[in-house]
Amino acid sequence: MWGKKKGKSVSKAHTTTFDTLISSKTNIEGDFQFAGGLHIDGLVKGTIRATDDSEAVVRISDIGEIDGDVIAPHIIVNGTVHGDVYASKHIELA
């Protein structure tokens, strides 16, 4: 009932490699764009936007924090977002 359905493939959001890491010791102020995978452990004050990459993934870890909007096809939120979240394909809230 709650397990993985047969015949379903694993979502790309779960298998993507993360090209960019914002570590827990990093604070970023300002808007920025990225492509590929972005993993956030630190603090970002500004809008995060994926470029035209339809498989771009943002993962905000449990210690990550965003003060602004997040716009990407695939978004995984374990941490804190103070702003709007726009996912065109997949969003996971933990």
Side-chain angles (χ1 to χ4, degrees):
M1 178 172 151
W2 297 102
K4 183 177 172 185
K5 293 184 181 181
K6 293 180 181 177
K8 285 263 188 177
S9 63
V10 176
S11 170
K12 281 219 177 229
H14 298 289
T15 60
T16 299
T17 59
F18 291 92
D19 308 308
T20 305
L21 168 67
I22 298 174
S23 77
S24 61
K25 297 180 181 180
T26 303
N27 294 335
I28 295 177
E29 291 191 33
D31 301 341
F32 69 93
Q33 295 184 356
F34 75 98
L38 171 63
H39 182 90
I40 300 171
D41 286 337
L43 171 64
V44 177
K45 292 183 180 182
T47 298
I48 298 171
R49 181 183 307 268
T51 58
D52 293 333
D53 182 4
S54 66
E55 295 303 321
V57 179
V58 177
R59 179 186 294 162
I60 303 153
S61 76
D62 57 339
I63 59 173
E65 185 174 352
I66 309 297
D67 188 10
D69 297 342
V70 181
I71 305 161
H74 302 276
I75 302 173
I76 303 167
V77 179
N78 291 318
T80 305
V81 177
H82 302 282
D84 296 328
V85 178
Y86 303 94
S88 60
K89 293 189 176 183
H90 172 87
I91 187 165
E92 183 177 321
L93 304 174

